[in-house]
């Protein structure tokens, strides 16, 4: 059975897409069959996986509107060694088009059920808001991976996300839980980051992943080459951290 995880945080620019594409590449590197679902109309995860969002014949939009299956719409990225269910601007329209449809928040879940045996991991890159798109992600997932920067306001944003996850858990998806908090763009020289990191660990215990993703310029450069850092420069500190994170996640699966 595929493990389905949303990469979510209501804040923009916290490293969701960077985490999603690099975790996908890291998991592929350690032999896992991975599908990356781009649920953000910006299509950054699509482009960052070497798939041109402007050339998509079928996308996650068609899957949500049930005019295509995942098998039909997902593209295998040769360079990245994982499948991508891409997104582009068209997806912004799905928000409105889904409103009047039945099971509108369960569309992705149903589509993924049909592809379950094809993948070990499905990672869903969510947009930075609680929209119908994010809700489709949260309803389809077994859990949420929350990338966060160790800054003062990060903790505040986390309260909102935790409440959202609780509500979806109670009303729509009893499977849903927080898989873990991933500390990203970490700079150990900054005392505040160290303090917030310690605070996170004391509040959330082993819900905080052991692996820490450092701030690393190669991870930021990679998208302009249409690649995850893990593929673009495997020797970079940030890339190595994501491969470590992939291994940690695989190890945690039995206890989830
Ligand atoms: P989100 O998807 O949450 O909006 P992104 O993954 O697009 O966030 O990241 C926001 C910006 O931060 C991007 O420019 C990205 O390249 C950069 N970034 C993300 N993670 C790192 C990192 N570990 N080190 C350096 N830059 C990073
Ligand atoms: Mg993003």
């Amino acid at each position: 059975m595929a493990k389905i995880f949303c990469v979510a945080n209501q804040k923009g620019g916290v490293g969701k897409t960077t985490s999603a594409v690099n975790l996908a590449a890291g998991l592929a590197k350690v032999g896992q069959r991975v599908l990356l679902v781009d649920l953000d109309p910006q299509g950054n995860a699509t482009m960052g996986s070497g798939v041109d969002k402007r050339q998509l014949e079928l996308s996650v939009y068609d899957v949500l509107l049930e005019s295509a299956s995942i098998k039909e719409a997902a593209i295998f990225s040769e360079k990245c060694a994982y499948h991508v269910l891409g997104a582009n601007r068209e997806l912004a329209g799905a928000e409105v088009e889904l409103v009047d449809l039945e099971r509108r928040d369960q569309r992705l879940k149903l589509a993924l059920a049909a592809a379950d045996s094809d993948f070990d991991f499905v990672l869903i890159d969510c947009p930075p808001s609680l929209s119908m798109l994010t809700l489709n992600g949260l309803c389809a997932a077994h859990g949420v991976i929350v990338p966060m920067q160790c800054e003062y306001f990060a903790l505040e944003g986390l309260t909102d996300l935790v409440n959202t996850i609780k509500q979806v858990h109670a009303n729509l998806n009893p499977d849903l839980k927080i898989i873990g908090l991933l500390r990203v763009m970490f700079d150990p020289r900054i005392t505040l980051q160290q303090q917030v990191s310690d605070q996170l660990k004391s509040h959330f215990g082993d819900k905080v992943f052991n692996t820490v993703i450092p701030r690393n310029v190669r991870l930021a450069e990679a998208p302009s080459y249409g690649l995850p850092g893990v593929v673009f420069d495997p020797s970079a500190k940030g890339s190595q951290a994501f491969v470590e994170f992939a291994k940690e996640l695989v190890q945690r699966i039995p206890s989830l």
Side-chain angles (χ1 to χ4, degrees), residues 9 11-20 22 40 42 44 125-126 128 147 149 184-186 213-223 238 242:
N9 187 324
K11 279 185 76 174
V14 289
K16 289 182 292 298
T17 300
T18 304
S19 300
N22 282 287
D40 190 332
Q42 289 186 63
N44 292 343
D125 184 33
C126 290
Q149 286 172 259
V184 299
M185 299 191 223
F186 192 75
I213 309 299
R215 183 171 283 284
N216 178 226
V217 69
R218 300 300 269 171
L219 291 176
E221 287 168 355
F242 271 113

Side-chain angles (χ1 to χ4, degrees), residues 18-192:
T18 304
S19 300
V21 298
N22 282 287
L23 177 58
L27 286 168
K29 211 167 196 166
V30 297
Q32 304 293 313
R33 299 169 304 159
V34 182
L35 170 67
L36 177 65
V37 178
D38 191 352
L39 266 189
D40 190 332
Q42 289 186 63
N44 292 343
T46 305
M47 296 296 278
S49 301
V51 175
D52 189 342
K53 64 181 179 184
R54 293 155 301 197
Q55 313 258 312
L56 292 174
E57 279 177 30
L58 292 168
S59 70
V60 68
Y61 171 86
D62 301 280
V63 169
L64 291 173
L65 293 177
E66 293 181 350
S67 57
S69 68
I70 287 177
K71 246 198 173 80
E72 291 165 335
I75 294 167
F76 186 69
S77 169
E78 297 281 347
K79 284 184 199 153
C80 300
Y82 57 81
H83 280 81
V84 182
L85 180 56
N88 54 30
R89 274 168 45 199
E90 196 181 27
L91 182 60
E95 194 78 41
V96 179
E97 289 168 66
L98 282 169
V99 166
D100 291 328
L101 303 181
E102 271 178 67
R103 298 167 290 119
R104 57 175 188 256
D105 46 16
Q106 305 287 331
R107 295 289 176 120
L108 185 60
K109 183 190 172 89
L110 292 169
L112 284 172
D116 193 60
S117 57
D118 297 333
F119 302 103
D120 301 306
F121 285 91
V122 177
L123 300 176
I124 305 171
D125 184 33
C126 290
S129 60
L130 184 63
S131 59
M132 185 53 65
L133 295 171
T134 303
L135 208 53
N136 259 275
L138 294 175
C139 284
H142 300 117
V144 184
I145 294 169
V146 185
M148 56 183 305
Q149 286 172 259
C150 290
E151 288 170 350
Y152 179 70
F153 287 115
L155 288 169
E156 220 165 86
L158 204 55
T159 315
D160 294 341
L161 185 66
V162 169
N163 287 335
T164 300
I165 291 170
K166 275 188 187 154
Q167 279 183 17
V168 174
H169 171 88
N171 300 305
L172 296 166
N173 177 5
D175 287 345
L176 192 68
K177 58 182 172 188
I178 290 190
I179 301 298
L181 308 177
L182 177 65
R183 291 163 286 174
V184 299
M185 299 191 223
F186 192 75
D187 185 344
R189 291 166 303 182
I190 300 175
T191 312
L192 178 64

Side-chain angles (χ1 to χ4, degrees), residues 183-209:
R183 291 163 286 174
V184 299
M185 299 191 223
F186 192 75
D187 185 344
R189 291 166 303 182
I190 300 175
T191 312
L192 178 64
Q193 294 210 0
Q194 202 64 63
Q195 285 168 349
V196 173
S197 172
D198 291 344
Q199 240 175 326
L200 274 181
K201 277 194 281 191
S202 63
H203 273 82
F204 291 94
D206 62 6
K207 286 278 180 200
V208 182
F209 290 111

